[in-house]
Amino acid sequence: MNKTWKLAAAAALWGTAVLAVPATAGSLDPSSVSARPAPMVVAQAGAAAPAAHAPGAPEAGHGPEGGESHGGFPPFKPANYASQLIWLIVSFGALYFLMSRVTLPRIGRILEERHDRIAKDLEEARLRQAESEAAHVAYEKALTEARGKANAIAGEARNRLTAETDANRKALEASLNTKLADAESRIAATKTSALSHVRGIAVDTTNAIVTTLVGAGAPQQDVEAAVDAALAAKSN
């Protein structure tokens, strides 16, 4: 890229230098050349006596070679227009050739490469965005499935614990009922046994009381009948 612009600048400078050459050469006007005296005539005039200056003749030091120029700026003279136009066309053609064949194609390739790179980056960004959206959807789906599985596992655990608790409660109630029934049976047996002993004790106590009060023992059957009647009345 820099080399191309250097070549274009060198071509422009070369064209400018070439344009300056015919302009300098054109400063020698044909009229001024024809106005110069011939060398031979000047030599003959030097051999003769110095003549007076003719009216209208150019004075010494005021001619074209005396330092004073006539005719204005050379590039503005009509006689130099043709060469200037030719070199302008040549320089413009060279510059156009360099620009069209070297610079502009490189710039076009650079712009095309940038366009392709930008399009590739945009396409890659779209792909990454699509992948990100797909990953987000998959994440949401996995999260929903995980929540469902967690709820199912929690429900199963809750149901299992409830079932186990019910089973343990029922087993404990059955065991307690069994133990309660055994206790009631033992209590009833103990009560029956105690009552039987109480009757015997009551009969013996009654015999002893009657013997103490009366001085003689009462019949055993009468004492037992009296004790049974008293126990029956107390239980009612």
Side-chain angles (χ1 to χ4, degrees), residues 34 52 106 124 129 151 182 184:
S34 60
R106 290 186 179 181
E124 187 175 358
Q129 184 179 5
N151 293 330
D182 293 339
E184 290 177 353

Side-chain angles (χ1 to χ4, degrees), residues 93-113:
L95 182 60
Y96 178 79
F97 178 79
L98 289 175
M99 293 293 292
S100 62
R101 296 297 180 89
V102 180
T103 305
L104 293 179
R106 290 186 179 181
I107 294 175
R109 286 195 297 270
I110 292 173
L111 293 177
E112 186 176 359
E113 289 176 358

Side-chain angles (χ1 to χ4, degrees), residues 90-225:
V90 171
S91 301
F92 180 78
L95 182 60
Y96 178 79
F97 178 79
L98 289 175
M99 293 293 292
S100 62
R101 296 297 180 89
V102 180
T103 305
L104 293 179
R106 290 186 179 181
I107 294 175
R109 286 195 297 270
I110 292 173
L111 293 177
E112 186 176 359
E113 289 176 358
R114 289 189 61 187
H115 181 271
D116 294 340
R117 189 183 304 112
I118 292 172
K120 183 178 179 181
D121 293 340
L122 291 175
E123 183 65 22
E124 187 175 358
R126 283 194 292 268
L127 291 176
R128 295 293 178 269
Q129 184 179 5
E131 292 177 357
S132 177
E133 291 178 355
H136 180 70
V137 172
Y139 171 75
E140 291 293 337
K141 183 178 179 181
L143 183 61
T144 303
E145 292 178 355
R147 287 177 179 174
K149 290 181 179 179
N151 293 330
I153 292 172
E156 292 178 357
R158 184 172 57 253
N159 295 331
R160 185 173 62 254
L161 290 175
T162 303
E164 290 178 358
T165 303
D166 293 338
N168 293 331
R169 181 176 56 79
K170 291 178 180 179
L172 182 60
E173 289 178 354
S175 176
L176 291 176
N177 292 330
T178 303
K179 291 180 180 180
L180 184 59
D182 293 339
E184 290 177 353
S185 299
R186 286 196 299 272
I187 290 171
T190 303
K191 183 179 180 181
T192 303
S193 177
L195 289 176
S196 63
H197 291 296
V198 168
R199 182 176 178 279
I201 294 171
V203 170
D204 292 338
T205 302
T206 302
N207 285 328
I209 292 172
V210 170
T211 301
T212 302
L213 292 176
V214 177
Q220 185 68 24
Q221 295 179 355
D222 294 337
V223 174
E224 290 179 359

